[in-house]
Amino acid sequence: MKPLQSTIQLLVLGSLLAGAALAQDFVKEVDLPRVNEILDNSPHKSQLPCFIVFSEDLRLDLLFRYTNEFAIRCRLGEIIPPGTELVALLRITARGGKPVFMAEHFHVPPAQQRDSTGMLAGPSQLEITASGGFAVGPGEYSVEIVLTDEQGNTCRKQKNLKPFYGRGDRKVPFSLQPGVVSPLMDTKWNGALARNGPRLTVFLDVYGQNGSADLHGFDRAALMQSLFTLLTQLPCRSVKLIAFDLEGQRAIFSQEPFDARGFVALGRLLKKVDFSTISYRALQHGAWSKFLADQVQSELASNQPGDDIVFLGSWGSHAREKLPQETARKIEIGNTRVFYFELFPPESGAPDGIEQLTKELHGKVLAIRSPDDLAEAIKKTAALTSEPAN
């Protein structure tokens, strides 16, 4: 059997091997009969040295969609030699609805690795792990997945999924209707703006949640998802976006007006930027606070400063350092309103650098620990920005 040439992205990870990532999409209509046949007729006993695990329940993400992820782990050897093509076929059916078909395609690299003694590791010593997922609207779903190779060997898994309702989840403005299925990596802003509303300036702090030198996939997803939701839910007539690295004290992206192409470019950039190298100037005492103040003051002094400034980023940068008192005094804030959408702050943690500055400028800090918090933060911000500035 020749596998379908799907374009769905699959992240192939492992301590020894890594596969190539592709893009996401649904199964083409012309391929549906063959995919249905494979899903219907594949034996329940695994023919591949693999096992599949789903995450528990459906969880709401920051795009206000329910999501589920799965992991596929395979042992390499005679059945799955290096260089094998594998395809994961999914049939996702809402209760009372029609099935939706997706596919995730990945390539097992032909690479050989050396073990700790310097000897080449044999295929039987290697293992690959592939992770994928999907997004759905509210409701209950049945999910079937069949992993198949080029010879038609299969491994299958089925699970019934229900939404996990966290605090306030039922109150958020769901972005997918009940029964709707969408690819997991489908975050594309269309650039649509409101006719009225404030001019918005967004300062995006590209800081990882664990303070590491790299921005991990979860960090990128949280930043891009929360930015997408902010731009689609908060009415504004223009957007300027400045992405910066507060740890390294450098601006890495700027666009005015920020549009759909800029959103795509920003997402690509976050995958490439190296945060491991920091200038010696950034290590000087208090340099971070001057950099932050200069960014704000530069925006306020521009030809068309935003009516409102929104800082967006994960908690933690310079949380153990105190903002010098003179920093905020140098900023002529005027009537501009300042907000900080602070992602995932601990319940009892010290205020980070941006939080300190926001409070000094009499702005509002909005802690985001869940999708419900994000929805409530946007609602509060919309109410305040609709009022005339003092």
Side-chain angles (χ1 to χ4, degrees):
M1 180 194 70
K2 184 178 180 181
L4 300 172
Q5 297 302 309
S6 165
T7 55
I8 294 230
Q9 180 173 9
L10 196 76
L11 181 62
V12 180
L13 300 174
S15 59
L16 299 176
L17 292 175
L22 304 172
Q24 287 191 330
D25 205 350
F26 296 102
V27 171
K28 295 179 180 179
E29 186 174 356
V30 67
D31 294 321
L32 288 178
R34 180 60 176 150
V35 170
N36 237 333
E37 181 183 350
I38 295 171
L39 286 161
D40 286 339
N41 298 325
S42 296
H44 288 275
K45 184 177 180 180
S46 180
Q47 300 168 322
L48 294 171
C50 306
F51 66 89
I52 303 168
V53 179
F54 285 99
S55 58
E56 291 296 323
D57 301 316
L58 297 166
R59 300 277 176 158
L60 205 62
D61 68 2
L62 294 177
L63 294 178
F64 302 151
R65 316 170 304 170
Y66 282 101
T67 63
N68 190 266
E69 296 180 337
F70 58 87
I72 301 171
R73 180 169 294 175
C74 298
R75 187 181 69 256
L76 301 190
E78 290 185 6
I79 299 178
I80 305 181
T84 299
E85 298 284 342
L86 297 173
V87 180
L89 304 174
L90 288 89
R91 180 164 55 195
I92 306 164
T93 309
R95 174 176 286 187
K98 296 182 179 180
V100 176
F101 298 88
M102 301 174 67
E104 308 227 355
H105 171 264
F106 62 98
H107 173 71
V108 179
Q112 288 184 302
Q113 301 291 333
R114 296 181 182 274
D115 61 20
S116 59
T117 65
M119 300 293 291
L120 285 173
S124 62
Q125 298 173 261
L126 303 179
E127 191 176 75
I128 62 166
T129 301
S131 62
F134 53 90
V136 295
E140 298 182 11
Y141 296 80
S142 172
V143 183
E144 302 163 86
I145 180 170
V146 168
L147 182 70
T148 180
D149 65 4
E150 295 170 281
Q151 285 71 44
N153 298 313
T154 61
C155 173
R156 69 180 305 138
K157 183 78 172 181
Q158 188 276 337
K159 187 168 184 177
N160 296 322
L161 297 170
K162 296 180 179 181
F164 172 83
Y165 293 108
R167 175 177 55 85
D169 278 5
R170 298 175 188 268
K171 300 178 182 178
V172 305
F174 297 114
S175 60
L176 295 178
Q177 295 298 314
V180 174
V181 179
S182 173
L184 185 63
M185 303 299 290
D186 190 26
T187 311
K188 295 180 181 179
W189 181 50
N190 61 10
L193 297 169
R195 292 184 178 180
N196 300 312
R199 298 186 306 272
L200 185 66
T201 298
V202 178
F203 283 101
L204 187 74
D205 181 21
V206 288
Y207 180 77
Q209 292 180 49
N210 296 319
S212 71
D214 297 316
L215 202 64
H216 296 295
F218 183 83
D219 300 316
R220 293 194 303 270
L223 287 173
M224 296 303 293
Q225 287 183 3
S226 55
L227 176 61
F228 174 90
T229 302
L230 175 69
L231 296 177
T232 54
Q233 299 289 330
L234 182 65
C236 53
R237 69 177 185 269
S238 69
V239 179
K240 177 180 180 180
L241 186 131
I242 302 166
F244 65 94
D245 169 20
L246 185 54
E247 293 291 297
Q249 293 149 49
R250 55 175 177 156
I252 64 170
F253 180 92
S254 179
Q255 187 185 65
E256 182 183 13
F258 187 59
D259 57 17
R261 290 185 178 182
F263 189 91
V264 173
L266 174 64
R268 290 174 178 169
L269 179 65
L270 294 185
K271 297 179 181 180
K272 300 177 181 179
V273 176
D274 178 17
F275 298 96
S276 60
T277 303
I278 297 179
S279 167
Y280 74 93
R281 294 186 180 87
L283 301 176
Q284 296 177 359
H285 180 71
W288 68 271
S289 61
K290 182 180 184 305
F291 169 83
L292 192 58
D294 287 347
Q295 292 294 307
V296 176
Q297 190 58 49
S298 177
E299 165 59 18
L300 296 171
S302 63
N303 292 332
Q304 285 191 321
D307 300 312
D308 300 294
I309 289 176
V310 171
F311 286 103
L312 173 62
S314 295
W315 171 88
S317 183
H318 298 280
R320 295 176 178 82
E321 300 178 49
K322 189 172 179 59
L323 184 79
Q325 292 184 348
E326 65 272 13
T327 299
R329 295 173 187 169
K330 297 178 181 179
I331 299 175
E332 299 176 7
I333 195 66
N335 293 328
T336 302
R337 291 163 289 212
V338 181
F339 303 87
Y340 180 22
F341 279 56
E342 188 176 37
L343 302 177
F344 314 118
E347 293 287 349
S348 57
D352 66 10
I354 298 176
E355 180 178 345
Q356 294 178 61
L357 180 63
T358 301
K359 290 179 177 178
E360 287 292 328
L361 296 176
H362 306 289
K364 193 166 187 63
V365 177
L366 301 155
I368 312 296
R369 300 186 180 93
S370 69
D372 174 55
D373 288 339
L374 180 57
E376 189 63 27
I378 293 174
K379 187 185 300 183
K380 290 179 180 178
T381 303
L384 291 172
T385 56
S386 65
E387 300 173 356
N390 295 328

